[in-house]
Amino acid sequence: MAELRREGLAKEHPGGVVALRELDLQVRDGELVVLVGPSGCGKTTALRLVAGLEAPSRGRVRIDGRDVTTLPPRERDVAMVFQSYALYPHKSVRENLGFGLRMRGTPRPEIARRVEEVARTLGLAALLERRPAQLSGGQRQRVALGRAIVREPKAFLLDEPLSNLDARLRAEMRAELARLHRRLGATMLYVTHDQEEALTLGDRVVVLRDGAVQQAGPPLELYARPANVFVAGFLGAPAMNLLPGASGLALDLPSTRPPEPVIGVRPGDVALVAPGTGHADARVEVVEVLGHATLVHLRLAGSGAALRALVTGAGSLAPAIGETAGVRLATERLHLFDPRDGLRLELSGPTGG
């Protein structure tokens, strides 16, 4: 495996359209780093620059300390797994897995050994003589992964590899990818727009927006201490509530500047109580039964700000649509942000109320 480095990497398209802004990022040997963000944020561009499929406007790409910025893809010793499986429909699973090795002139006995080994690792041994049309979506994705693994590259680049699968298969393949990464000790750079995928897979997560890094770090750190309003609203399902300071909540906030910060609170940190006994009253507008919990959409009295509460537990029944409920926020878990630039504000004292 290898270390990947991107130093001041930037990409501008004709007409001054900026796809990526001065990206500095290290993927350590054996680490799985996830680039996550909405469509158009620059994450796939970053991956293509590392693969050599696009040339950067500025900056360098290094693999194991070697500057590969101007090298073609075939000389970078990386394997890319795409959103589309890109399998050869007329070839068997065995032929698809070994195709890249044959093109490189690898001896036939070595090809057979590697293909059999990867097929066992990915649970494909019984499917080697089938063609892609005879496989399920999850099986095709495993073949696409196997085709990359069999090459034994220095690093793996994965571009939204699970986005074509249904929700159940995505969850299964996420777990499979995590196990595979641990087993191989592989260096992986993974791109997704799915924040749940990012949080569950990544050793580190890099959140991008408009071509710029918003925050990078371990998943739990980003979830617990989002650096700005964008990261706070993007990571987490259901999304964090972000309320203007003048929302009519009876909160005793610590001394902060500006005086009315944006208040962030996870839906799971909002409790429903009797009217008049919480931080505010709110009208119930929508009730979503999720099975394991109920997501209640509320409208705060007075300010009209929207708020979501995640109600869990057998004894915690949500009120009916149209009813009024009190809302109580877990004040020790509030997040405060500057309304001018969206950056996180550090609490200077305990909150209450």
Side-chain angles (χ1 to χ4, degrees), residues 67-198:
D67 189 338
V68 300
T69 311
T70 59
L71 294 183
R74 65 180 179 276
E75 296 182 27
R76 298 192 180 202
D77 197 14
V78 296
M80 193 157 181
V81 180
F82 295 94
Q83 178 178 352
S84 60
Y85 311 126
L87 302 178
Y88 296 105
H90 59 287
K91 295 182 183 295
S92 68
V93 169
R94 184 187 302 277
E95 291 168 328
N96 268 284
L97 290 174
F99 182 78
L101 296 178
R102 287 197 297 275
M103 291 298 98
R104 290 172 171 231
T106 305
R108 285 188 177 184
E110 178 64 10
I111 293 175
R113 182 191 68 78
R114 290 201 207 174
V115 167
E116 293 285 349
E117 183 178 304
V118 167
R120 286 195 301 271
T121 298
L122 294 177
L124 297 170
L127 307 175
L128 284 172
E129 306 313 321
R130 294 190 188 180
R131 293 189 177 183
Q134 299 171 296
L135 304 177
S136 68
Q139 290 167 339
R140 291 179 198 174
Q141 188 59 74
R142 289 205 298 273
V143 175
L145 283 167
R147 190 173 53 187
I149 294 167
V150 79
R151 288 178 47 196
E152 298 179 355
K154 288 186 175 178
F156 294 88
L157 309 177
L158 299 99
D159 187 11
E160 306 254 18
L162 308 184
S163 61
N164 286 337
L165 304 178
D166 62 35
R168 182 183 61 83
L169 270 177
R170 274 203 309 273
E172 290 177 4
M173 284 301 298
R174 273 203 308 269
E176 199 162 316
L177 268 171
R179 286 193 294 269
L180 185 64
H181 174 248
R182 288 195 299 270
R183 189 182 308 142
L184 297 176
T187 303
M188 293 185 175
L189 183 60
Y190 189 106
V191 159
T192 182
H193 67 277
D194 186 324
Q195 50 87 21
E196 185 177 352
E197 215 166 273

Side-chain angles (χ1 to χ4, degrees), residues 203-236:
D203 296 320
R204 280 188 299 136
V205 175
V206 180
V207 181
L208 291 171
R209 182 191 189 193
D210 297 334
V213 174
Q214 302 297 300
Q215 189 174 1
L220 288 179
E221 178 183 304
L222 269 63
Y223 183 84
R225 295 179 57 79
N228 56 39
V229 165
F230 176 78
V231 176
F234 187 79
L235 291 181

